[in-house]
Amino acid sequence: MTEEHQRLEEARNHIIHWKRWGPYLSERQWGTVREDYSPNGQAWDYFTHDQARSRTYRWGEDGILGICDDQQYLCFALALWNGKDPILKERIYGLTGTEGNHGEDVKEYYFYLDSTPTHSYMKGLYKYPQAEFPYTWLVEENQRRGPLAPEFELLDTGVFQENRYYDVFLEYAKASAEQILIQITAINRGPDPQTLHILPTLWFRNTWSWNPNAPKPLIKVAKSDQQFSVLEASHPTLGQRWFYCEGSPELLFTDNETNYQRLFGVENQSAYVKDGINNYVVQGEKNAVNPSKVGTKVAPHYRFTIGPGETRVIKLWLSDAPNIPQPFGSEFSRIIATRRSEADQFYHAIGVSAKPTLREREAWPKASAAPKAIAPPGINDDHRNIQRQAFAGLLWSKQYYYYDVETWLKGDPNQPPPPPERLKVRNQQWNHLNNADIVSMPDKWEYPWFAAWDLAFHCIPLAMIDPDFAKNQLDLMTREWYMHPNGQIPAYEWNFSDVNPPVHGWATWQVYQLEKQFHGKSDRQFLERVFQKLLLNFTWWVNRKDFDGNNVFEGGFLGLDNIGVFDRSSDLPSGGYIEQSDGTSWMAMYCLNMLTIALELALENPVYEDMATKFFEHFLYIAAAMNNIGEDETQLWDEEDGFFYDVLYLPNREQLRLKVRSMVGLIPLFAVTTIEPETLNKLPGFKKRLEWFIQHRPDLKRNVACMETQGVGAKRMLALCYMNVGKVLESDKFRRILSKLLDENEFLSDYGIRGISKFHKDNPYRFYVNDHEHRVDYEPAESSNGLFGGNSNWRGPIWMPLNYLLIESLQTFHYYLGDTFKVECPTGSGNLMTLGEVSVELSRRLIRIFQKNQSSHRPIYGKINEFQTDQNWHNLILFYEYFHGDSGLGVGASHQTGWTGLIAKLIQQCAECSESK
């Protein structure tokens, strides 16, 4: 057990609160729904970046590579000034949804380089231009460009030419759970000496302005001399903390209060306001900071002239100890170095207690029988670097998420009441929701709010390194202060009532399994607790998303944004409704997830046998409906094309297939599971019911495989896309889907599976309503339309989460069918592979997005020279939201390690596979 393992154990057993402090500060709080008190719900316009330095937030705080406690009372982050910018660089800048030509888009370069699960060691990097930051140019040029043009990025402005920038590294190392060492390292990469102002900022989140009875915290000077200064921060709940600052910088104090004079032209309620330090340093306003050196926000002001290639280091220490005699001596450096080393030991040694299961060894070709390790010995240095930064991004993307919807809707007692119109804009049905938790974010700038189905995928790689946090996240979404009383899981803050794919059951089972595989133990209490809540959620789905009660589900947009010809979450321009192939398939998958969990729980509690039987029967009815809907027997399956499509029901009950060849028709592959003969023998009640269906309901059993025919090792399989007729397997439907999936002229890219078939490049799908054309083209990169804000595109790019589910499904099919079932991969190549080998091939194509090719270039960065050739850039990895369907170029949000962090698990699996050969 490494030192980090020991810390995790102490945190798990509530011995030491190692996770009290972490990277829980957002990268962007402005422009969020929580801070929006407008009548029309235009969050981006109500609270802007320009206001952020002057206006106090209600529900959270933001800063550059910052940390805070787990209730976000006391915050720390980096602030910089190059002597040319019009404002301090206190927060990451980007364009709003209305400013960017492809929706919101962060316009800076920062990287999460390392973190342990307890945040005992963390490292981040911010690249700060030495020229004036081109705020106006970025807005104007992106607004000038249309939706068919690429985004205009900060590198495109030329501010990084001749390396005229600073690399600013920020490291955190915990001496104890309450003592955090902070080291800031600034390097001048440019050819000339430059002056850099560094202002490490400590402040309290404003909790007092919203409640007249709330006591106000205070920061003051406890000691100051030539060697170091000590600031004392006192909070009525958090208690006292002391902030040690190396050297003798000028200490600048102000208050975290709104500058009403600047924003609204009225008198300030406080003499010193949020932007006081900015005004003092940048504008030279000497009276902007408090000469008495007290306040709720403070920054020591360091100013360096740094020569070309030179480095300056600042040391700080945030502690619960008031008297550290020599805080910046050799002990400081020793602790930093020790925590770095312990991080390496953790990632090299984790997972030494469990071996791959029989299922894993059979499903994953030649899987190693050695103990599971996060980075198996066969992993190369490039893959190790990618994986390590993926984990770092996941851990850095934790955020304190605070949102009391009832208070947000009604307003605070001592504030002006919000306009009444806003009660009808969003989330008025979620007034039970009251969150104040550490939650995994998709991206702390572009998506600084939880998204339920994103979070489910986050938990897979998180479970490899910190199963307790992964389980906590899945449990949170089903708790009474999240889940709606009707059973719906909240989607995301822009509209909690929107519908995400029901992947929570899948993620719960995966995390349960991963904890066994990587950590040698299973948490049945977690499995049972979440399962009980998911019963409510499953019932909500059945009652709310099956229009005709025929086991075919509408669902809505289901997280796939613009994948269809219409906005599937809104009223259709044609009228009527859509029976969704993906909605129905997700529900079939959900049934099988719940069946699998129920069978596991039934092994110790026979009560769950009845539940397993119920989900088994429900799956059979859904499978039947996929192939035979209603009196007209309209099928989602198109026999001519050999593919699943959505079916549009017009108001006159006319039915039309919407023949967009997309991921929607591949999602039926996800609904597959196997049942071990040992499990059936241990559960006689369930086995008896299964055998009864085989004997008495041939009309249902014909739609799925393979209750009757036994696969490798006498296994049984349930699947939508693999039918059995009598005792003869009929795999034509399955093979026809696979032939498109693995066709490089359709779904198969060099870098994974596309969201829409390349077939539509030359054959766009057109649908006419009142002579108005609705059209879907193959678009491998950014979206060309504004559907769902235009910032995400499912019409051709590669998306990591659904690729991951495809890989897992193929592994399950291989586990049942064995090595005798082979397909061409790629289609038409004559190269036959088992489905296990296909899953490995798809994994390697996804990994190829990030790894260096023969030219030492990474496809993810395309023609961006800095990332491809510069030694200070080319090993830095960004984890984009999705990827160009033909080139692998990173597209969309650039820090969405969340579900793109799944690459860490694929790297582990592929390394394990290679090691065993």
Side-chain angles (χ1 to χ4, degrees), residues 471 474-475 478 504-505 508 525-535 594:
K471 290 184 294 184
L474 293 172
D475 185 41
T478 64
H504 215 80
T508 299
Q525 187 179 62
F526 154 75
L527 189 67
E528 186 170 9
R529 183 172 60 249
V530 177
F531 178 79
Q532 293 288 348
K533 301 292 185 64
L534 290 178
L535 291 172
M594 296 294 276

Side-chain angles (χ1 to χ4, degrees), residues 743-758:
D743 188 336
E744 292 181 315
N745 294 313
E746 295 238 18
F747 288 99
L748 183 61
S749 162
D750 286 342
Y751 305 99
I753 300 299
R754 303 175 174 105
I756 280 183
S757 171
K758 201 172 182 178

